[in-house]
Amino acid sequence: MTAVSSLVDLDDVDALIAADREGALRSAALAGAQVRAVAAAVDEAVLVRLADLRPRSVVIVTGDGRSSRAASLLVAALGDRLGVPLVRSTGTPPWIGPLDVVVVAGDDAGDPRLAESVDAASRRGAEVVVVAPEEGPLRAVRGARVMWLPPRIAVRDHNALMRYLAAFVAVLGAVAGGSWKALLPNLSRLADLLDAEAVRNSPSNEVFHNPAKALASGMSGRRVVLSGSSPAAVEVARHGSEVLLRAAGVLVGAGELGDVIAASVRASSVESAGTPNTFDSFFHDEQLDGPPPALPMRVVVVTAEVDRALTERRMAGVPESELLLAESSDALFGGAGAGSEFDIVPSPPGQATLSVLDTMSVLATRLDTTASYLLLMGGS
């Protein structure tokens, strides 16, 4: 990782582009392309073997990194609402048989755990979908029941969340099912939403009109904690924390909303007790007065429009807090009871609201781009 001077101005387009020698912004902007590539593979009948299958279960075996987080996000968002049991595992369970579908996903084709999982599921007669590079030890594990969804769009490992999530959704959409399939996002529509988010977060857009830049600016030099208003939103918060650390070296905590609220209130009371009432940033001289007091901890809560009112009430007593949400509104900023909030593109015609996975996917992508901007600002 190469960090540049924190003097890079987020509104200086030329400086941002020149600083992005490793293509961090481009990689973060390819979320829609990754989803569209999975949709193209589905159109090519890669998953045709699943068409008439009514599986006993769908088991997702993941390696480290974004595949694991994508599986957790999917289970948190839809696991209790699907018509088929959805299980996340670190290996092929011993009870797997011909009535099951096993999805093996990961970045490392040399991971023996992934190869062993493919081999075990195939030998037991399960239908197997491999969402990993078709190379190394994994490539040697082949069989009539093994279907491949290798990466078609090259991105950094920490920006691959959408590829895995789209692949998992594609598998659930391919198997025979009932009305629960309406809960799954349309991959083409999701790709359009992610592309629209990438346009809004483009370096050419100023901070005030760029949600990712605004979020990066608010995080820079601050202690930040991410949380979520629902299990799926908490998974996005954890994804953001992991990506911010890996991409920009920024330490951002993440946790359940109840824990974060309690910690924030406690931290605020401690800071108030230890901060002189006479501090004035305009007249403060570090050489004479010492370092200035630490800025208060900022809490960013990932949420959906449906949870907005309740989340604002819960955050009413938390200082330095803001909501990170997606809503069907043309406005970029709006008033918030607990803080400021950032909105995304309005819902397409005929869609009053975004689905849970639509919303969480857009916000996860925004956090990816925020990490890229913080990298270019020099991290923290």
Side-chain angles (χ1 to χ4, degrees), residues 59-63 87-96 102-104 112-114 116-118 120-121 124:
V59 178
I60 303 178
V61 178
T62 62
V87 181
R88 175 177 172 257
S89 177
T90 57
T92 298
W95 47 263
I96 286 295
V102 178
V103 184
V104 180
R113 181 161 53 91
L114 298 184
E116 291 167 2
S117 297
V118 174
R124 293 171 190 164

Side-chain angles (χ1 to χ4, degrees), residues 24-25 27-29 159 197-198 201-203 210 212-213 216 243-244 363-375:
L25 290 173
S27 178
N159 294 137
E197 177 71 7
N201 294 327
S202 167
N210 188 314
K213 279 187 180 181
V243 170
L244 286 162
L363 297 181
T365 301
R366 184 179 302 172
L367 287 168
D368 284 359
T369 310
T370 298
S372 297
Y373 280 123
L374 282 170
L375 168 67

